Amino acid sequence: MSDIKIVDAPAGIEGSGFFATKLDEAVGLARSYSLWPLPFATSCCGIEFMATMASHYDLSRFGAERLSFSPRQADLLMVMGTISKKMGPVLRQVYLQMAEPRWVMAVGACASSGGIFDTYSVLQGIDEIIPVDVYVPGCPPRPEAIIDGFIQIQKLVQTETGRRRNSPEYQKLLASYGIQ
């Protein structure tokens, strides 16, 4: 935890009383430290997430102060735990109700790959139904791993340009999931 530092301003032109940079970089910096995560927890990974939000680890130090339990107000979907095939359409609907830009983090072995449940009733990874930006390994992952995954999402958000979501590559990715 000693590698935590104060955020540097994006590259730009500085002078007495002014600072100039690219709009994408300034918006990315603001977005990355004001994420509203939606925890979609179904199993033991949810308990680890509760520990991550508690005072000892305190995910709110990283800009996730407000958890959103409404998909229309969230921009980060954190899927934690086993997702059955019956739960798949519900998870997809929650994802579709989120406004763009939206990011997804698969927390734990079950959300990432089905975990130890190689059965007919369990999705073998949520990336079968929605695109995933960051995978957090572990069964269940330690709070430090969840924080590291969150920091990876922040780096992605900070460097993402406003045009990426309209790019043909991104539209092709969404089309591969049947999302328009």
Side-chain angles (χ1 to χ4, degrees):
M1 300 298 275
S2 62
D3 59 336
I4 297 173
K5 63 181 179 102
I6 301 297
V7 176
D8 294 327
I13 301 169
E14 295 183 47
S16 178
F18 77 93
F19 178 80
T21 187
K22 293 185 225 167
L23 181 63
D24 276 346
E25 291 179 5
V27 169
L29 181 67
R31 270 190 187 151
S32 68
Y33 291 99
S34 61
L35 291 171
W36 286 6
L38 168 66
F40 193 93
T42 61
S43 301
C44 44
C45 291
I47 305 300
E48 290 297 319
F49 178 70
M50 289 178 210
T52 306
M53 291 302 296
S55 59
H56 186 72
Y57 294 100
D58 194 17
L59 190 62
S60 60
R61 290 179 298 145
F62 300 94
E65 182 69 45
R66 183 195 181 277
L67 292 181
S68 177
F69 294 98
S70 167
R72 290 180 175 89
Q73 297 174 348
D75 47 14
L76 170 62
L77 178 60
M78 298 176 73
V79 182
M80 299 164 264
T82 309
I83 304 298
S84 67
K85 290 188 178 175
K86 282 187 176 183
M87 185 62 78
V90 175
L91 176 61
R92 183 179 168 86
Q93 183 66 32
V94 167
Y95 175 79
L96 292 174
Q97 287 178 351
M98 294 172 66
E100 285 281 0
R102 57 188 171 210
W103 297 273
V104 178
M105 186 162 76
V107 178
C110 292
S112 299
S113 66
I116 60 170
F117 305 105
D118 189 11
T119 66
Y120 69 94
S121 61
V122 173
L123 274 176
Q124 299 304 301
I126 63 168
D127 55 1
E128 290 184 6
I129 55 170
I130 58 174
V132 176
D133 296 299
V134 172
Y135 295 90
V136 177
C139 183
R142 299 263 316 136
E144 294 91 344
I146 296 173
I147 289 173
D148 183 60
F150 188 81
I151 291 171
Q152 296 305 315
I153 288 280
Q154 284 181 318
K155 288 177 184 175
L156 176 70
V157 171
Q158 199 167 0
T159 58
E160 184 177 271
T161 65
R163 293 185 213 101
R164 176 184 169 257
R165 300 282 167 162
N166 297 324
S167 70
E169 295 85 14
Y170 187 74
Q171 296 303 320
K172 185 178 176 184
L173 172 70
L174 290 181
S176 72
Y177 285 97
I179 299 170
Q180 300 308 328

